[in-house]
Coordinates of all heavy atoms in Angstrom, one line a residue:
R189 N 59.8 110.5 88.1 CA 58.5 111.1 87.7 C 57.8 110.2 86.7 O 56.6 110.3 86.6 CB 58.8 112.5 87.0 CG 59.4 113.5 88.0 CD 59.5 114.9 87.3 NE 59.9 115.9 88.3 CZ 60.1 117.2 88.0 NH1 59.9 117.6 86.7 NH2 60.5 118.1 88.9
L190 N 58.5 109.4 86.0 CA 57.8 108.5 85.1 C 57.4 107.2 85.7 O 56.5 106.5 85.2 CB 58.8 108.1 83.9 CG 59.2 109.2 83.0 CD1 60.2 108.7 81.9 CD2 58.0 109.8 82.3
A191 N 57.9 106.9 86.9 CA 57.5 105.6 87.6 C 56.1 105.5 87.8 O 55.5 104.4 87.6 CB 58.3 105.5 88.9
P192 N 55.3 106.5 88.3 CA 53.9 106.3 88.5 C 53.1 105.9 87.3 O 52.1 105.1 87.3 CB 53.4 107.6 89.1 CG 54.6 108.2 89.7 CD 55.7 107.8 88.8
R193 N 53.5 106.3 86.1 CA 52.8 106.0 84.8 C 53.3 104.8 84.1 O 52.6 104.0 83.6 CB 52.9 107.2 83.9 CG 52.1 108.4 84.3 CD 52.2 109.5 83.3 NE 53.5 110.1 83.2 CZ 53.9 110.9 82.2 NH1 53.1 111.3 81.3 NH2 55.1 111.4 82.2
L194 N 54.7 104.6 84.2 CA 55.3 103.5 83.4 C 55.6 102.3 84.3 O 55.9 101.2 83.7 CB 56.5 104.0 82.7 CG 56.3 105.1 81.7 CD1 57.7 105.5 81.1 CD2 55.3 104.8 80.6
G195 N 55.7 102.5 85.6 CA 56.2 101.4 86.5 C 57.7 101.6 86.7 O 58.4 102.2 85.8
N196 N 58.2 101.1 87.7 CA 59.6 101.3 88.1 C 60.6 100.7 87.0 O 61.6 101.4 86.7 CB 59.9 100.6 89.4 CG 59.2 101.3 90.6 OD1 59.0 102.5 90.5 ND2 58.9 100.6 91.7
W197 N 60.3 99.5 86.5 CA 61.2 98.9 85.5 C 61.3 99.7 84.2 O 62.3 100.0 83.8 CB 60.8 97.5 85.3 CG 61.6 96.8 84.3 CD1 61.3 96.4 83.0 CD2 63.0 96.3 84.4 NE1 62.3 95.8 82.3 CE2 63.4 95.7 83.2 CE3 63.9 96.4 85.5 CZ2 64.7 95.2 83.0 CZ3 65.2 95.8 85.3 CH2 65.5 95.2 84.1
N198 N 60.1 100.0 83.7 CA 60.1 100.7 82.4 C 60.6 102.2 82.6 O 61.3 102.7 81.7 CB 58.6 100.8 81.9 CG 58.1 99.4 81.4 OD1 58.9 98.6 81.0 ND2 56.8 99.2 81.5
A199 N 60.3 102.8 83.7 CA 60.8 104.1 83.9 C 62.3 104.1 84.1 O 63.0 105.0 83.5 CB 60.2 104.7 85.2
T200 N 62.9 103.1 84.7 CA 64.3 102.9 84.8 C 65.0 102.8 83.4 O 66.0 103.4 83.1 CB 64.7 101.8 85.7 OG1 64.1 102.0 87.0 CG2 66.2 101.6 85.8
L201 N 64.4 101.9 82.6 CA 64.9 101.7 81.2 C 64.9 103.0 80.4 O 65.8 103.4 79.7 CB 64.1 100.6 80.5 CG 64.2 99.2 81.0 CD1 63.3 98.3 80.2 CD2 65.7 98.8 81.0
V202 N 63.8 103.8 80.5 CA 63.6 105.0 79.7 C 64.7 106.0 80.2 O 65.4 106.7 79.4 CB 62.2 105.6 79.8 CG1 62.1 107.0 79.2 CG2 61.2 104.7 79.2
A203 N 64.8 106.2 81.5 CA 65.8 107.1 82.1 C 67.2 106.7 81.8 O 68.0 107.6 81.4 CB 65.6 107.2 83.6
G204 N 67.5 105.4 81.8 CA 68.8 105.0 81.4 C 69.2 105.2 80.0 O 70.3 105.6 79.6
A205 N 68.2 105.0 79.1 CA 68.4 105.2 77.7 C 68.6 106.7 77.4 O 69.4 107.1 76.6 CB 67.2 104.7 76.9
G206 N 67.8 107.5 78.1 CA 68.0 109.0 77.9 C 69.4 109.4 78.4 O 70.0 110.3 77.8
F207 N 69.8 108.9 79.5 CA 71.2 109.2 80.0 C 72.2 108.8 79.0 O 73.2 109.6 78.7 CB 71.4 108.5 81.3 CG 72.8 108.6 81.8 CD1 73.2 109.8 82.4 CD2 73.7 107.6 81.8 CE1 74.5 109.9 82.9 CE2 75.0 107.7 82.2 CZ 75.4 108.9 82.8
A208 N 72.1 107.6 78.4 CA 73.1 107.2 77.4 C 73.1 108.1 76.2 O 74.2 108.4 75.6 CB 72.8 105.7 77.0
V209 N 71.9 108.5 75.7 CA 71.8 109.3 74.5 C 72.4 110.7 74.9 O 73.2 111.3 74.1 CB 70.4 109.5 74.1 CG1 70.2 110.6 73.0 CG2 69.8 108.1 73.6
A210 N 72.1 111.3 76.0 CA 72.6 112.6 76.4 C 74.2 112.5 76.5 O 74.9 113.5 76.1 CB 72.0 113.0 77.7
V211 N 74.7 111.4 77.1 CA 76.2 111.3 77.2 C 76.8 111.2 75.8 O 77.9 111.8 75.6 CB 76.5 110.1 78.1 CG1 78.0 109.7 77.9 CG2 76.2 110.3 79.5
A212 N 76.2 110.5 74.9 CA 76.7 110.3 73.6 C 76.7 111.7 72.8 O 77.7 112.0 72.1 CB 75.9 109.3 72.8
V213 N 75.7 112.5 73.0 CA 75.6 113.8 72.4 C 76.7 114.7 73.0 O 77.4 115.4 72.3 CB 74.3 114.5 72.6 CG1 74.3 115.9 72.2 CG2 73.2 113.7 71.9
A214 N 76.9 114.7 74.3 CA 78.0 115.5 75.0 C 79.3 115.0 74.5 O 80.2 115.9 74.2 CB 77.9 115.3 76.5
C215 N 79.6 113.8 74.3 CA 80.9 113.3 73.8 C 81.1 113.7 72.4 O 82.3 114.0 72.0 CB 81.0 111.8 73.9 SG 81.1 111.1 75.6
A216 N 80.0 113.8 71.6 CA 80.2 114.2 70.2 C 80.5 115.7 70.1 O 81.3 116.0 69.2 CB 78.9 113.8 69.4
F217 N 80.0 116.5 71.0 CA 80.2 117.9 70.8 C 81.5 118.4 71.5 O 82.0 119.4 71.2 CB 79.0 118.7 71.4 CG 77.9 118.8 70.4 CD1 76.9 117.8 70.4 CD2 77.8 119.8 69.4 CE1 75.8 117.9 69.5 CE2 76.8 119.8 68.5 CZ 75.8 118.9 68.5
L218 N 81.9 117.7 72.6 CA 83.1 118.2 73.3 C 84.4 117.9 72.4 O 84.4 116.8 71.7 CB 83.3 117.4 74.6 CG 82.3 117.9 75.7 CD1 82.5 117.0 77.0 CD2 82.6 119.4 76.1
P219 N 85.4 118.7 72.5 CA 86.6 118.5 71.7 C 87.3 117.3 72.1 O 87.2 116.9 73.3 CB 87.4 119.8 71.9 CG 86.9 120.3 73.1 CD 85.5 120.0 73.2
G220 N 88.1 116.7 71.3 CA 88.9 115.5 71.6 C 90.2 115.8 72.3 O 90.5 117.0 72.5
N221 N 91.0 114.8 72.5 CA 92.3 114.9 73.2 C 93.3 114.3 72.3 O 94.0 113.4 72.6 CB 92.3 114.2 74.5 CG 92.2 115.2 75.7 OD1 92.2 116.4 75.5 ND2 92.0 114.7 76.9

Side-chain angles (χ1 to χ4, degrees):
R189 293 186 176 181
L190 293 178
R193 288 184 294 172
L194 303 180
N196 291 332
W197 178 253
N198 292 331
T200 302
L201 292 179
V202 172
F207 173 76
V209 171
V211 167
V213 172
C215 291
F217 279 93
L218 285 174
N221 257 355

